[in-house]
Amino acid sequence: MIAIRAAALAVAAALLPLQTAAAAEQVNVYTYRESKLVQPLFDAFTKDTGIAVNVISASSGLEQRIKAEGAGSPADVLLTVDIGRIDDAVAAGVSQPINSPVIDEIVPPQYRDPDGHWAGISMRARVIYASKDRVKQQAITYEELADPKWKGKICIRSGQHIYNNALFAAYAAHHGEAKAEQWLRGLKANLAQKPSGGDRETARDVAAGKCDLGIGNTYYWALMMNGDPDKKPWAEATRVILPTFEGGGTHVNLSGVLLAKHAPNKANALKLIEWLAGDKAQQIYADANYEYPIRPGVALNPTIASYGRLTADPMPIAKIAAQRKTASTLVDKVGFDN
């Protein structure tokens, strides 16, 4: 509790406080997204609606900050990534039901909270970066990653990272705790090295020949290929495989939005949330952020489309969130990060 409070205070000290000005046409957004990724969205929203968007961006502690601010919090919307952070915000009691027929119509049920506290507005998939030279398979299942044929050939970041926690939770949701433990032991046995770095570094290590398969998010590969000349060779040495669960699809996670519990500009917050699910915002997400639109019919970025057709796993995200603690416990139990 002391650590959480300290983290919240650190965030509050590091950021300028938002002031709830008298002007009605504004909305205050707290976000874990990088400013450069979301500012084009907010600029377009303001142009369309005349509503100014005030933004606080941080890498951690926002839900604790909103909770500490209490009923006087200026936060209207929390824009975040990964079901882990979405779930943590709801658990912290800083959200309220969105209650939007527009969101209910546009966002598929598996990407919405059954109680209405959050909605997905874009997707990313957890996939495989495979060596072009050493991996000839065109399709791989998540279950197969524990097959001994991959012994010493897989690289991955920490099993406790939120991206892997969600994937492992999805496995538990599909197969149960006992089989998830068995699978994690098999996956650990196939690792080429101790889990480390991030998704970009897994691509780097595949390119360097340290492993044949790396596990990463779809957008990182696109960012390396198109946005970072120093890392482009890592992408060029690999190709993306969209793995699937047996009898299911490719695991996806969300960028999500929550309506703050004490939103002082609630009407404008709802306008922003609904706008983020609209065609224009969805196209910006696809093109600028290399994510999959939540809304059907929106064109993919060409790099993302080059991975092949995404058949997203139909498992409701809320059911995956319910297995997060189990997944975290199993990671420690099998010594995955050791």
Side-chain angles (χ1 to χ4, degrees), residues 119-203:
I121 49 175
S122 66
M123 299 184 295
R124 66 277 303 278
R126 195 111 183 104
V127 298
I128 291 170
Y129 306 155
S131 168
K132 285 182 178 177
D133 294 335
R134 299 182 301 278
V135 178
K136 304 306 178 186
Q137 281 186 228
Q138 299 298 312
I140 297 176
T141 65
Y142 292 109
E143 289 83 356
E144 185 187 337
L145 294 174
D147 190 313
K149 74 178 183 179
W150 297 113
K151 186 173 180 62
K153 296 183 178 180
I154 299 176
C155 289
I156 192 172
R157 73 197 303 167
S158 169
Q160 291 291 11
H161 190 275
I162 54 175
Y163 299 159
N164 285 332
N165 174 263
L167 173 60
F168 300 166
Y171 197 99
H174 273 279
H175 297 293
E177 182 175 347
K179 288 187 177 179
E181 178 181 343
Q182 182 182 11
W183 178 75
L184 278 174
R185 292 187 185 279
L187 176 57
K188 174 180 168 58
N190 287 344
L191 298 183
Q193 58 192 15
K194 182 178 178 179
S196 62
D199 289 359
R200 293 178 179 89
E201 285 70 33
T202 67

Side-chain angles (χ1 to χ4, degrees), residues 159-271:
Q160 291 291 11
H161 190 275
I162 54 175
Y163 299 159
N164 285 332
N165 174 263
L167 173 60
F168 300 166
Y171 197 99
H174 273 279
H175 297 293
E177 182 175 347
K179 288 187 177 179
E181 178 181 343
Q182 182 182 11
W183 178 75
L184 278 174
R185 292 187 185 279
L187 176 57
K188 174 180 168 58
N190 287 344
L191 298 183
Q193 58 192 15
K194 182 178 178 179
S196 62
D199 289 359
R200 293 178 179 89
E201 285 70 33
T202 67
R204 176 199 65 193
D205 291 344
V206 173
K210 294 181 179 180
C211 40
D212 291 352
L213 305 177
I215 298 174
N217 282 354
T218 38
Y219 56 85
Y220 282 118
W221 194 95
L223 287 167
M224 289 186 291
M225 179 62 75
N226 299 333
D228 193 334
D230 292 337
K231 296 178 177 61
K232 187 173 181 177
W234 305 348
E236 290 177 328
T238 62
R239 58 189 170 85
V240 172
I241 296 176
L242 301 176
T244 58
F245 284 107
E246 293 174 358
T250 299
H251 168 65
V252 296
N253 210 320
L254 300 174
S255 293
V257 64
L258 301 93
L259 177 62
K261 184 174 183 178
H262 301 291
N265 304 291
K266 184 175 179 179
N268 288 343
L270 286 170
K271 287 179 182 178

Side-chain angles (χ1 to χ4, degrees), residues 222 226 283 285-291 293 298-306:
N226 299 333
Q283 197 64 67
Y285 265 112
D287 287 334
N289 295 352
Y290 297 113
E291 294 191 279
V298 177
L300 301 179
N301 178 276
T303 300
I304 298 298
S306 73

Side-chain angles (χ1 to χ4, degrees), residues 94-99 115-118 258-263 266:
V94 300
S95 63
Q96 61 175 300
I98 293 172
N99 293 329
D115 296 322
H117 282 260
W118 55 262
L258 301 93
L259 177 62
K261 184 174 183 178
H262 301 291
K266 184 175 179 179

